[in-house]
Amino acid sequence: MLPDELTDQGPREHSVRAEEDLLSARHAVRADAVAAGFSIVDQTKIVTAASELVRNAYIHGGGGTMTIAIVRDGRGRVGLNLSVRDEGPGIADVDQAMTDGFSTGAGLGHGLGGTRRLVDEFTIDTAPGKGTTVTVVRWKR
């Protein structure tokens, strides 16, 4: 399948409601990264980013949805766009949450900041009581 054909598929949603959904989400991202022709290093980076985001949605947001789309920009680059949203409590202090070492759970606190370093584009939309949506893009090298 050529990247043009892949981008015609449109976005695909994956529910993140149970522990086994985390693995399914990672497998879906890896499959799309392979189909888009990502190198093994770039596959690993986008799958790691996805893993962190869906785990956050599951643990901190009570579950949510991951949307995957293979995209093409105006210059013809192929990329993988992931959007993970939850209906959880939101993030009160985004700057603090992005700081390495900060964790509201038992993790090491490299989650959102580490995710940002693994991708080319990173946006977060959140507010206390409104849930969180993180959208990332990794472009094929």
Side-chain angles (χ1 to χ4, degrees), residues 53 81-84 119 121-125 133-137:
L53 295 175
N81 177 301
L82 309 177
S83 183
V84 180
V119 298
E121 299 175 22
F122 180 100
T123 59
I124 186 165
D125 181 19
T133 301
V134 179
T135 303
V136 301
V137 179

Side-chain angles (χ1 to χ4, degrees), residues 13-30 47 50-59 62-68 84-85:
E13 285 196 356
H14 298 270
S15 180
V16 181
R17 301 279 176 213
E19 186 78 26
E20 58 268 12
D21 294 337
L22 304 178
L23 184 59
S24 296
R26 289 192 298 266
H27 284 288
V29 171
R30 169 120 18 230
V47 169
S51 182
E52 181 60 34
L53 295 175
V54 296
R55 182 164 292 289
N56 280 353
Y58 176 66
I59 292 173
T65 304
M66 177 183 70
T67 303
I68 307 171
V84 180
R85 73 176 182 277

Side-chain angles (χ1 to χ4, degrees), residues 7-123:
T7 58
D8 291 340
Q9 290 179 8
R12 289 149 324 277
E13 285 196 356
H14 298 270
S15 180
V16 181
R17 301 279 176 213
E19 186 78 26
E20 58 268 12
D21 294 337
L22 304 178
L23 184 59
S24 296
R26 289 192 298 266
H27 284 288
V29 171
R30 169 120 18 230
D32 278 2
V34 168
F38 278 40
S39 71
I40 190 70
V41 171
D42 287 330
Q43 290 172 39
T44 301
K45 288 180 178 183
I46 193 67
V47 169
T48 301
S51 182
E52 181 60 34
L53 295 175
V54 296
R55 182 164 292 289
N56 280 353
Y58 176 66
I59 292 173
H60 302 293
T65 304
M66 177 183 70
T67 303
I68 307 171
I70 296 175
V71 295
R72 183 179 296 277
D73 72 3
R75 298 182 302 185
R77 288 187 307 174
V78 173
L80 207 54
N81 177 301
L82 309 177
S83 183
V84 180
R85 73 176 182 277
D86 66 54
E87 308 265 330
I91 301 171
D93 187 338
V94 173
D95 289 335
Q96 184 180 38
M98 298 296 294
T99 303
D100 282 347
F102 176 78
S103 178
T104 58
L108 297 174
H110 296 298
L112 289 175
T115 299
R116 181 175 54 190
R117 289 187 294 275
L118 292 169
V119 298
D120 299 306
E121 299 175 22
F122 180 100
T123 59

